[in-house]
């Protein structure tokens, strides 16, 4: 799912609605390297509260992002938990940024991708103590902790 029509929601007596959405998330570039969610999809819990013609959308997700370690280039899988709130009035987002909701249609793919990107750590590593690569020869220092070069 890439977009969601907010008019399809059916609210309970308290003015709330819930959905679990399988959101497609395209691979993205972070720090010059390509990363992606497992299977290209993220299950997202969407809660919507309505007061009059205004909606408060809350998205919550837990996933992982996979791609190359930014120190040694081995595979890295980083857990990500994200939560975001979006306000919609008359079917349009109320933010000054590029709107996620336009004409009652929520661009859920872009919103979820942005939430994942905001939740990522500054460096995506295969492990916290990754030693990286040798600047002289490119050897993975995690595999060869005693690695060194003779001084000439």
């Amino acid at each position: 799912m890439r977009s969601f029509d907010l008019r399809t929601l059916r609210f309970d007596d308290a003015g709330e609605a819930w959905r679990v959405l399988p959101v497609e998330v395209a691979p993205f570039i972070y720090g010059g390297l390509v990363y992606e969610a497992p299977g290209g999809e993220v299950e997202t819990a969407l809660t919507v509260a309505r007061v009059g013609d205004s909606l408060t959308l809350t998205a919550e997700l837990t996933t992982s992002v996979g791609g190359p370690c930014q120190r040694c280039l081995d595979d890295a899988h980083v857990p990500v938990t994200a939560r975001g709130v979006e306000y919609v009035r008359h079917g349009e987002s109320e933010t000054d940024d590029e709107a996620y909701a336009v004409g009652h249609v929520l661009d859920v793919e872009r919103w979820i991708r942005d939430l994942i990107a905001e939740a990522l750590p500054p460096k995506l590593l295969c492990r916290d103590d990754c030693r990286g690569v040798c600047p002289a020869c490119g050897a993975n220092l995690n595999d060869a902790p005693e690695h060194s070069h003779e001084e000439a």
Side-chain angles (χ1 to χ4, degrees):
M1 166 178 297
R2 294 176 186 256
S3 61
F4 181 74
D5 189 339
L6 297 170
R7 294 172 291 199
T8 64
L9 293 169
R10 299 293 172 250
F11 293 90
D12 64 13
D13 293 338
E16 292 187 339
W18 301 268
R19 295 286 181 279
V20 175
L21 306 174
V23 179
E24 293 177 42
V25 179
F28 57 95
I29 297 174
Y30 186 74
L33 301 168
V34 178
Y35 296 91
E36 60 187 346
E41 193 171 273
V42 175
E43 189 170 280
T44 303
L46 178 67
T47 304
V48 183
R50 178 182 68 185
V51 175
D53 62 355
S54 296
L55 302 175
T56 301
L57 313 175
T58 304
E60 296 181 80
L61 61 100
T62 298
T63 188
S64 67
V65 172
C69 173
Q70 291 180 337
R71 283 194 189 143
C72 71
L73 299 179
D74 276 352
D75 288 339
H77 297 280
V78 178
V80 176
T81 300
R83 182 178 189 276
V85 177
E86 183 74 5
Y87 301 100
V88 177
R89 185 178 173 121
H90 304 296
E92 309 284 331
S93 292
E94 292 186 339
T95 60
D96 293 336
D97 302 58
E98 290 186 37
Y100 293 116
V102 176
H104 297 282
V105 176
L106 177 64
D107 185 347
V108 71
E109 177 190 21
R110 189 167 56 87
W111 188 27
I112 297 309
R113 253 181 108 218
D114 288 353
L115 289 176
I116 291 170
E118 290 172 5
L120 290 174
K123 289 228 181 258
L124 280 71
L125 304 176
C126 60
R127 60 187 200 212
D128 290 338
D129 63 344
C130 177
R131 298 184 64 211
V133 296
C134 173
C137 69
N140 187 330
L141 299 176
N142 296 312
D143 297 336
E146 303 301 319
H147 179 81
S148 66
H149 293 272
E150 295 289 326
E151 291 284 329

